[in-house]
């Protein structure tokens, strides 16, 4: 072997050894924690930000060391176009691989959006705004949008009754715009269909069946907070519907008054025929749901109890006294309502 060949061989071996050393160092970097003293660092990735910009920001905050090596890792793994905008809580105890995975596949920081059964759409809109997920005004526009209602098979003029009460975990938007409102509204209604899927059996409800069930469920939700009474209350309204009686439900009057309700139902309110939700004046169910009911109220509306009760009155402790005749009902009213007034 000639001298030149020997020199080339030595150079090749040195190059290979150097490359192996570089690769080993690179692999060690990607799999080693960035700090032996872990601490959390908040990071906001704006819409349209590049990976280079975000890496520079992380380096300034101490969330990543050797930023140029991190940039190389991003390119090698072909993730430079997969950065997800959002709010993140990073940890200096993570490896660079773990950090990259969080930025391209993670959900970021999740916040709680929670509301109980029986709230109206405008109450829910206020909660959505108060908790920082969308403007109440934008949310209202979305849930009244005909295209939105058609998309989700909602047979009413708005999504009342379909904003499923639940505790949700989601990212907060960087800007509370119309897209943010659509995201929240979509989530609530999709959850409604997911949660109620098992109730419909092997068929989807017709628009007319859906209208009746959700309206009735909303009445049940507003009338009683006692789980054992739900199907009984549903049975009362089912009996009244069958007999052509008026529902005479106070919560429907309140809903028709809307945000202006001051806490007291007056005789004028009961006599007001202009209130289309006044079931003391208008026969049958109201024109739409009066709140978003929970799953058990919907179940009760689908399977109301079979009985002969036509009336019920609050006992004052959350439960109700059910009666079959007006005479029995008037007696119960005197017993429970007058006793409450005396107290």
């Amino acid at each position: 072997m000639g001298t030149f060949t020997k020199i080339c061989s030595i150079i090749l071996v040195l190059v290979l050894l150097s490359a192996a050393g570089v690769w080993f160092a690179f692999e060690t970097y990607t799999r080693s924690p960035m700090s032996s003293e872990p601490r959390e660092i908040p990071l906001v990735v704006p819409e349209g930000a590049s990976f280079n910009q975000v890496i520079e920001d992380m380096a300034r905050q101490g969330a990543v060391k050797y930023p140029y090596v991190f940039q190389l890792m991003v390119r090698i793994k072909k993730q430079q176009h997969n950065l997800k905008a959002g709010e993140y809580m990073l940890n200096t105890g993570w490896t660079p691989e773990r950090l990259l995975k969080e930025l391209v596949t993670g959900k970021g920081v999740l916040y709680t959006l929670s509301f109980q059964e029986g709230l109206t759409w405008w109450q829910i809109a206020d909660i959505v705004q108060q908790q920082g997920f969308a403007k109440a005004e934008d949310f209202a526009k979305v849930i009244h949008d005909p295209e939105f209602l058609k998309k989700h098979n909602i047979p009413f003029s708005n999504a009342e009754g379909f904003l499923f009460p639940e505790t949700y975990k989601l990212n907060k938007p960087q800007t509370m715009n119309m897209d943010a409102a659509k995201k929240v509204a979509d989530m609530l209604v999709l959850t409604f269909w997911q949660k109620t899927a098992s109730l419909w059996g092997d068929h989807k409800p017709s628009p007319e069946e859906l209208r009746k069930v959700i309206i009735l469920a909303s009445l049940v939700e507003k009338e009683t907070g006692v789980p054992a009474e739900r199907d009984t209350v549903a049975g009362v309204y089912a009996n009244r519907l069958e007999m052509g009686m008026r529902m005479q439900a106070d919560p429907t009057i309140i809903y028709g008054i809307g945000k202006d309700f001051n806490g007291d139902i007056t005789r004028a309110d009961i006599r007001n025929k202009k209130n289309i939700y006044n079931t003391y004046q208008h026969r049958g169910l109201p024109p739409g749901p009066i709140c978003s009911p929970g799953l058990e109220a919907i179940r009760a509306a689908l399977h109301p109890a079979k009985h002969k009760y036509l009336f019920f009155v609050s006992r004052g402790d959350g439960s109700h006294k059910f009666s079959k005749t007006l005479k029995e009902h008037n007696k119960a009213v005197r017993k429970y309502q007058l006793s409450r007034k005396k107290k």
Side-chain angles (χ1 to χ4, degrees):
M1 181 182 294
T3 303
F4 179 76
T5 303
K6 288 181 179 179
I7 293 173
C8 289
S9 297
I10 292 171
I11 292 173
L12 178 60
V13 169
L14 291 174
V15 169
L16 290 174
L17 287 174
S18 298
V22 170
W23 182 253
F24 178 77
F26 176 77
E27 285 293 299
T28 301
Y29 168 80
T30 62
R31 291 179 169 82
S32 301
M34 288 176 288
S35 173
S36 58
E37 299 179 357
R39 63 187 177 91
E40 291 187 333
I41 296 178
L43 175 73
V44 175
V45 178
E47 291 285 351
S50 70
F51 239 127
N52 287 347
Q53 292 171 327
V54 172
I55 292 171
E56 289 176 6
D57 191 14
M58 290 192 296
R60 281 194 296 271
Q61 297 187 65
V64 63
K65 63 180 180 178
Y66 309 127
Y68 293 109
V69 182
F70 193 91
Q71 288 176 356
L72 177 62
M73 181 184 69
V74 171
R75 292 180 180 278
I76 290 174
K77 294 182 178 292
K78 299 180 180 180
Q79 297 293 338
Q80 57 266 41
H81 302 300
N82 295 332
L83 178 64
K84 292 175 65 177
E87 185 177 351
Y88 297 88
M89 186 62 71
L90 309 181
N91 194 302
T92 58
W94 291 350
T95 66
E97 280 190 340
R98 170 71 177 83
L99 175 57
L100 177 60
K101 183 178 180 181
E102 179 70 14
L103 294 174
V104 299
T105 64
K107 293 181 179 179
V109 178
L110 298 179
Y111 292 89
T112 299
L113 170 62
S114 180
F115 55 91
Q116 65 192 35
E117 298 87 348
L119 298 184
T120 62
W121 69 259
W122 57 85
Q123 291 172 320
I124 294 172
D126 286 342
I127 291 173
V128 169
Q129 176 168 298
Q130 290 164 8
Q131 297 188 12
F133 294 99
K135 294 179 182 178
E137 180 182 0
D138 291 341
F139 185 82
K141 288 179 181 177
V142 171
I143 65 169
H144 284 80
D145 178 27
E147 289 299 317
F148 177 84
L149 301 174
K150 181 179 179 181
K151 170 186 172 183
H152 290 292
N153 299 310
I154 298 175
F156 298 107
S157 61
N158 60 55
E160 187 75 275
F162 293 79
L163 307 173
F164 197 79
E166 183 65 276
T167 296
Y168 299 89
K169 293 287 186 179
L170 65 162
N171 305 110
K172 282 190 176 180
Q174 295 177 28
T175 305
M176 291 204 299
N177 53 21
M178 193 63 73
D179 287 339
K182 288 178 181 177
K183 180 181 177 181
V184 175
D186 278 331
M187 180 182 63
L188 303 190
V189 178
L190 287 173
T191 301
F192 167 89
W193 286 112
Q194 291 168 0
K195 294 289 187 179
T196 61
S198 61
L199 300 182
W200 312 116
D202 57 359
H203 75 287
K204 280 193 173 183
S206 66
E208 191 52 43
E209 179 186 6
L210 190 61
R211 287 179 61 87
K212 179 179 178 180
V213 168
I214 301 305
I215 293 174
L216 182 55
S218 72
L219 296 185
V220 172
E221 190 67 72
K222 296 298 286 186
E223 287 286 19
T224 183
V226 180
E229 289 186 350
R230 290 191 183 108
D231 58 347
T232 307
V233 171
V236 169
Y237 288 128
N239 289 344
R240 289 190 165 209
L241 279 173
E242 187 176 349
M243 296 177 64
M245 292 177 62
R246 292 183 174 89
M247 298 295 99
Q248 295 184 328
D250 291 355
T252 64
I253 294 179
I254 295 171
Y255 186 85
I257 296 172
K259 297 179 182 180
D260 295 329
F261 180 64
N262 62 10
D264 291 315
I265 297 177
T266 66
R267 289 185 179 180
D269 292 328
I270 294 174
R271 294 170 180 166
N272 183 10
K273 291 185 178 181
K274 293 182 179 180
N275 182 348
I276 59 175
Y277 282 85
N278 184 352
T279 52
Y280 281 84
Q281 297 297 326
H282 304 288
R283 294 185 184 277
L285 293 170
I290 60 172
C291 70
S292 281
L295 191 64
E296 294 309 312
I298 298 172
R299 192 191 308 275
L302 269 169
H303 306 287
K306 302 294 183 182
H307 54 61
K308 295 184 178 180
Y309 294 129
L310 293 172
F311 307 93
F312 58 91
V313 64
S314 172
R315 289 191 174 99
D317 60 1
S319 67
H320 295 81
K321 169 65 176 175
F322 294 89
S323 303
K324 297 177 182 178
T325 66
L326 182 59
K327 182 178 180 180
E328 291 176 0
H329 176 62
N330 288 337
K331 183 178 179 180
V333 169
R334 288 193 295 272
K335 177 179 179 180
Y336 294 107
Q337 290 194 347
L338 291 180
S339 63
R340 284 206 303 274
K341 289 180 180 180
K342 289 178 180 178
K343 290 181 182 178

